[in-house]
């Protein structure tokens, strides 16, 4: 650690390193996905992060993940919430079963707002090292939700 490191930052680093992997994932879901906090995103993402589930042609680094939340989901879903149903942790890997929900008040991947409440079921596996996301794998029901919204129009 640098000798000129400010004391509050040192405390933050210690706190980040003492949080369990499950707590890091819970924080990410609450502060990043629900609240859209870029400061938390930057604090929780390792510079070498890889999203192995990124769509074809999308960046596999953190920028692609941030883009999904900030420019795809958050503008389309008001009152965005994440409900974590279950988490399992083994070593540095955390599997989370959750539901991302919100009211469809903006265009979502070409589907105009319907006003309906949508529920996207997600299963993620995240590798957490030293309090930061290093890798992500995930599956979700977004394509099913989009098909349902299209058929309701």
């Amino acid at each position: 650690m640098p000798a000129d490191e400010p004391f509050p930052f040192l405390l933050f680093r210690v706190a980040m390193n003492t949080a369990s992997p499950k707590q890091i994932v819970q924080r990410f879901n609450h502060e990043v996905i629900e609240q859209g906090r870029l400061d938390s995103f930057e604090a929780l993402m390792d510079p070498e992060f890889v999203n192995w589930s990124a769509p074809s042609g999308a960046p596999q680094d953190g920028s692609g993940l941030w883009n999904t939340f900030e420019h795809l989901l958050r503008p389309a879903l008001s009152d965005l919430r994440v409900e974590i149903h279950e988490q399992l942790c083994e070593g540095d890997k955390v599997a989370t079963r959750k539901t991302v929900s919100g009211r469809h008040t903006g265009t979502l991947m070409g589907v105009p707002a319907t006003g309906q409440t949508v529920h996207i079921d997600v299963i993620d596996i995240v590798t957490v090292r030293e309090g930061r996301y290093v890798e992500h794998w995930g599956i979700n029901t977004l394509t099913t939700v989009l098909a349902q919204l299209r058929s309701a129009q």
Side-chain angles (χ1 to χ4, degrees):
M1 285 181 221
D4 62 346
E5 186 173 77
F7 184 68
F9 184 71
L10 176 63
L11 289 176
F12 176 74
R13 286 182 59 176
V14 170
M16 286 292 295
N17 290 334
T18 60
S20 75
K22 282 184 180 183
Q23 290 170 320
I24 296 297
V25 173
Q26 290 164 6
R27 178 178 173 206
F28 185 93
N29 279 272
H30 179 67
E31 294 179 17
V32 175
I33 300 175
E34 284 187 350
Q35 297 177 356
R37 290 184 45 190
L38 181 57
D39 62 323
S40 295
F41 180 80
E42 291 171 343
L44 294 171
M45 297 301 290
D46 188 89
E48 302 299 317
F49 171 80
V50 178
N51 181 7
W52 297 108
S53 300
S56 180
Q60 285 187 298
D61 64 1
S63 69
L65 198 58
W66 177 255
N67 184 62
T68 298
F69 302 132
E70 191 62 18
H71 301 289
L72 185 80
L73 291 179
R74 293 182 59 75
L77 303 176
S78 59
D79 306 321
L80 187 69
R81 295 285 173 252
V82 179
E83 181 181 357
I84 295 177
H85 305 292
E86 183 175 18
Q87 284 188 299
L88 303 171
C89 182
E90 179 150 341
D92 60 3
K93 290 195 176 20
V94 179
T96 303
R97 185 176 60 84
K98 63 189 177 188
T99 301
V100 177
S101 61
R103 201 164 31 89
H104 182 214
T105 56
T107 301
L108 180 61
M109 298 184 73
V111 180
T114 63
Q116 295 180 24
T117 299
V118 299
H119 304 278
I120 304 165
D121 295 318
V122 180
I123 297 176
D124 284 325
I125 300 173
V126 177
T127 303
V128 176
R129 288 195 193 113
E130 296 181 11
R132 297 178 137 206
Y133 275 41
V134 177
E135 297 177 291
H136 168 263
W137 296 263
I139 57 173
N140 63 63
T141 60
L142 180 58
T143 55
T144 301
V145 168
L146 290 170
Q148 292 169 347
L149 292 172
R150 285 187 184 105
S151 68
Q153 292 181 330

